[in-house]
Amino acid sequence: MALTPTTNRQTWSTGCLGPSGTWEFSLPVVAGDACELSLRAADGGTANVDRVLEVVGVASNDDCGRASRLDFTSAATATRTLRVRGCSVNAQGSFTLACRRMLSDPIFRNGSD
């Protein structure tokens, strides 16, 4: 599934993860883009069991228990792979992923106002 990060938060409810299951998303980013990826309710996401968020080869996060969140800034223009997986074989259940592109300069929209 392809994600297209915009400055408006988007959510994807993809169903369930089974034992040792993984969902993968393609995430196109531009050098300097900052993205927020979250399973936290406060950000529009959900997770009923402990999940790990990972941008393959870039960053991962599992320090929020069920409500993992990952903010990262892309060093290059590329299509990254985002993984959502359970933290163990017993971590079966559903999730909703929230994603948005964060502007580093919201007043001038990074120089293109």
Side-chain angles (χ1 to χ4, degrees), residues 5 11 24 49 68 78 105:
T11 59
E24 289 190 351
V49 294
S68 292
D105 182 0

Side-chain angles (χ1 to χ4, degrees), residues 1-6 10-12 14 24-29 36-37 79-84 97-100:
M1 177 179 289
L3 303 177
T4 305
T6 67
Q10 302 169 50
T11 59
W12 289 267
T14 57
E24 289 190 351
F25 300 87
S26 60
L27 181 67
V29 291
E36 171 193 278
L37 306 161
T79 298
R80 301 288 183 193
T81 299
L82 168 66
R83 284 190 187 135
V84 179
L97 173 66
C99 173
R100 75 179 172 121

Side-chain angles (χ1 to χ4, degrees), residues 106-113:
I107 295 173
F108 293 105
R109 290 183 262 222
N110 297 322
S112 58
D113 191 22

Side-chain angles (χ1 to χ4, degrees), residues 81-101:
T81 299
L82 168 66
R83 284 190 187 135
V84 179
R85 62 180 173 84
C87 68
S88 72
V89 295
N90 296 324
Q92 301 178 53
S94 61
F95 70 93
T96 298
L97 173 66
C99 173
R100 75 179 172 121
R101 181 174 166 253

Side-chain angles (χ1 to χ4, degrees), residues 12-108:
W12 289 267
S13 294
T14 57
C16 294
L17 279 173
S20 302
T22 300
W23 278 86
E24 289 190 351
F25 300 87
S26 60
L27 181 67
V29 291
V30 175
D33 272 1
C35 292
E36 171 193 278
L37 306 161
S38 182
L39 301 173
R40 295 184 343 172
D43 300 325
T46 63
N48 63 355
V49 294
D50 196 2
R51 297 277 179 254
V52 176
L53 288 174
E54 175 185 16
V55 178
V56 177
V58 178
S60 67
N61 180 290
D62 184 35
D63 64 358
C64 300
R66 292 181 185 176
S68 292
R69 176 181 162 148
L70 178 61
D71 295 345
F72 81 99
T73 301
S74 181
T77 298
T79 298
R80 301 288 183 193
T81 299
L82 168 66
R83 284 190 187 135
V84 179
R85 62 180 173 84
C87 68
S88 72
V89 295
N90 296 324
Q92 301 178 53
S94 61
F95 70 93
T96 298
L97 173 66
C99 173
R100 75 179 172 121
R101 181 174 166 253
M102 300 180 293
L103 294 176
S104 58
D105 182 0
I107 295 173
F108 293 105

